Structure formats: structure tokens, C-alpha cells
């Protein structure tokens, strides 16, 4: 990464370009939960296997949530979560590059 020469404006351009490619996006965790049904004498429930289904777990406005995820949508949700982690990495990198660029600008100005 060109951290030696870039300006705060260039960091902004780089980040906005990178952000445009990040979709779908989600934060939280995708887990398989073991559900039970209300049927009597259900073999799946009696055997302990139950009726597994995916759920997205996370926090919103300070509260935990879990949302049912149909099995066929699980790969897309997993992709969104992966992108969420990528977004976190991008923000970390952006902070570092932005600060370097700010310091460089301050140094250049003080020389003038
Ligand atoms: Zn059952």
C-alpha cells in the first residue's frame, strides 16, 4: 500500500472504492441451532437430533437477537458475515493510512 506518499484525500478515495465492492454485508454469527417441534412421538426430537436450522445471532441497539435463516440462504449470509469481517479490517487499515497521511500533511505544512 502506498502509505509513503498518499494524502488524506487519496485515503478517502481508496476506502470509498473498496467499500463499493463490499456487499452483501452483515455482522454477527451464523450457527446451527437444534430446534424441537410440537409433534408427539417425533423420531427426530426423541433421538436428540431435533430439527436443526440456521440462525443469525448478533446484537442490535444493545440487545441480542437471533433470526431464523432458511438453509438455502445460509451461504449468502455466511458471505455477508465474511464481508463484515473484511469491512472491519478495512476500517483498521483506513485509520492507520489516514493518520499517516494527516501527519505527513502536517509535516509538509510546517516546512512551508
Ligand atoms: Zn420433532
Amino acid at each position: 500500500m502506498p502509505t509513503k506518499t498518499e494524502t488524506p484525500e487519496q485515503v478517502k478515495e481508496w476506502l470509498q472504492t473498496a467499500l463499493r465492492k463490499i456487499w452483501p454485508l452483515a455482522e454477527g454469527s451464523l450457527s446451527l441451532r437444534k430446534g424441537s417441534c410440537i409433534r408427539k412421538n417425533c423420531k427426530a426430537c426423541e433421538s436428540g437430533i431435533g430439527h436443526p436450522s440456521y440462525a443469525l445471532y448478533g446484537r442490535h441497539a444493545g440487545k441480542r437477537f437471533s433470526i431464523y435463516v432458511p438453509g438455502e440462504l445460509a451461504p449468502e449470509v455466511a458471505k455477508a458475515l465474511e464481508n463484515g469481517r473484511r469491512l472491519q479490517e478495512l476500517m483498521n487499515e483506513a485509520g492507520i493510512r489516514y493518520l499517516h497521511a494527516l501527519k505527513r500533511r502536517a509535516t509538509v505544512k510546517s516546512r512551508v
Side-chain angles (χ1 to χ4, degrees):
M1 50 188 187
T3 52
K4 292 279 186 287
T5 57
E6 65 189 357
T7 64
E9 190 59 33
Q10 286 170 323
V11 176
K12 178 185 165 190
E13 293 297 321
W14 158 76
L15 181 64
Q16 288 182 339
T17 302
L19 290 179
R20 236 174 277 138
K21 294 175 194 162
I22 297 192
W23 185 257
L25 197 51
E27 191 176 317
S29 62
L30 184 68
S31 322
L32 206 54
R33 63 182 173 190
K34 191 165 64 179
S36 51
C37 66
I38 57 166
R39 281 179 291 169
K40 285 176 183 170
N41 306 319
C42 170
K43 284 202 170 73
C45 288
E46 281 172 3
S47 69
I49 295 168
H51 306 271
S53 64
Y54 283 101
L56 173 67
Y57 294 89
R59 297 184 74 85
H60 181 64
K63 287 180 183 169
R64 288 171 193 269
F65 69 82
S66 75
I67 303 170
Y68 166 70
V69 177
E72 68 271 22
L73 300 184
E76 285 173 74
V77 175
K79 176 71 181 162
L81 291 169
E82 194 185 306
N83 281 338
R85 288 186 287 274
R86 174 79 186 120
L87 177 66
Q88 198 67 52
E89 287 168 20
L90 274 175
M91 282 195 288
N92 278 314
E93 187 180 340
I96 293 166
R97 288 168 68 162
Y98 179 54
L99 180 57
H100 282 310
L102 282 181
K103 285 176 158 180
R104 198 174 305 111
R105 190 179 66 186
T107 307
V108 170
K109 272 185 183 165
S110 68
R111 277 199 225 111
V112 176

